[in-house]
Amino acid sequence: QVQVVESGGGLVQAGGSLRLSCTASGRTFSMYGMGWFRQGPGKEREFVAAMNWNRGSTYYADSVKGRFTISRDSAKNTVYLQMNSLQAEDTAVYYCAANSRSRYYGSDASVWSDFRKYDSWGQGTQVTVSS
């Protein structure tokens, strides 16, 4: 079992930046990927970004491409989400997730963006962007 804990949320003005962190613990050697999802007020959970933990390849939702960057520190089992040019519509609770059960090494973005492939979830961190 893998556990993940997020941090780094907060209040920022539109156009500003924030960096979220997520640290995994437990059976991290079995992880296939880590991802970020978000749920805005009155909205369904949506995919933000993901990383193939073995290959380091990354995947992004169209709404955040060019603004958000997912990266990692493998030695710390930590993944980051650097969010730049934040907009009011980015306001949401951001969740980190890890996939340690659905074995997949491919590059199909639809797989990496499928929340059902992730078996460990953090408690979420609030990001509020004021306009």
Side-chain angles (χ1 to χ4, degrees), residues 12-88:
V12 64
Q13 290 187 334
S17 299
L18 278 177
R19 189 177 81 157
L20 306 182
S21 301
C22 174
T23 299
S25 60
R27 297 174 59 88
T28 57
F29 59 87
S30 66
M31 289 197 305
Y32 298 106
M34 294 187 75
W36 289 96
F37 293 78
R38 68 186 182 186
Q39 187 166 14
K43 298 180 181 179
E44 295 186 351
R45 175 173 43 186
E46 65 174 352
F47 168 72
V48 177
M51 176 177 284
N52 179 325
W53 200 250
N54 293 282
R55 299 185 177 183
S57 47
T58 57
Y59 307 88
Y60 297 93
D62 288 342
S63 58
V64 305
K65 279 181 182 177
R67 299 189 299 123
F68 292 11
T69 302
I70 187 171
S71 62
R72 67 176 173 181
D73 183 333
S74 298
K76 296 180 179 180
N77 290 316
T78 297
V79 67
Y80 304 97
L81 185 68
Q82 178 66 44
M83 305 184 293
N84 298 328
S85 302
L86 283 162
Q87 305 165 0

